[in-house]
Amino acid sequence: MKIIEITEDIKSIFKNAANKMSGAKRREYIGEITIKLLDGNARKTEREFGWGRKTVKTGMAELTTGIRCLNNYSARGNKKTEEKMPELAYDIQSIVDPKSQADPKFQTPFW
């Protein structure tokens, strides 16, 4: 089945449905829409719906092969600075220590 033109109402329904899903279900849904309505063309799907081509291609591959890709959500995001630069704490300490001094009796007028 090939639809020449998809109306904005239908696009919004498809987008809302996809946004309510995640992971393999979402990719499978996107792949199914691409195959049935847009001739399996990932570029058309990206242009019409704004879904990434990589996601579309993965969804179509999962549909045709029956093999689901694993989601690696834990690998996302930014690592802590301490993990990326373990020597940072020592470097800051070495810069600050010679210049800093605590009042031994804590009798300074400054808070």
Side-chain angles (χ1 to χ4, degrees):
M1 177 176 167
K2 182 179 177 184
I3 295 178
I4 305 287
E5 187 175 330
I6 301 172
T7 65
E8 291 300 320
D9 290 337
I10 294 173
K11 283 183 193 180
S12 69
I13 291 169
F14 287 148
K15 286 180 183 181
N16 287 336
N19 288 337
K20 292 178 183 177
M21 298 179 210
S22 64
K25 285 183 181 180
R26 182 174 192 266
R27 289 190 303 268
E28 186 177 318
Y29 175 74
I30 290 171
E32 192 171 347
I33 288 173
T34 303
I35 292 169
K36 290 185 178 179
L37 301 179
L38 299 167
D39 296 331
N41 191 325
R43 277 189 192 272
K44 284 182 185 177
T45 307
E46 183 181 37
R47 193 177 330 115
E48 293 292 325
F49 297 102
W51 296 323
R53 275 182 278 165
K54 186 175 180 183
T55 303
V56 174
K57 288 178 182 180
T58 304
M60 289 189 306
E62 286 176 343
L63 272 175
T64 56
T65 62
I67 300 170
R68 288 191 170 175
C69 296
L70 295 176
N71 298 318
N72 191 6
Y73 293 120
S74 62
R76 294 181 180 178
N78 200 2
K79 293 182 181 178
K80 292 183 178 181
T81 304
E82 297 87 6
E83 292 176 21
K84 292 191 283 188
M85 301 166 47
E87 69 284 347
L88 182 64
Y90 173 77
D91 292 344
I92 292 173
Q93 192 79 23
S94 66
I95 292 170
V96 173
D97 271 347
K99 308 272 191 231
S100 64
Q101 176 180 340
D103 184 11
K105 296 183 183 180
F106 297 105
Q107 294 179 349
T108 60
F110 304 108
W111 288 86

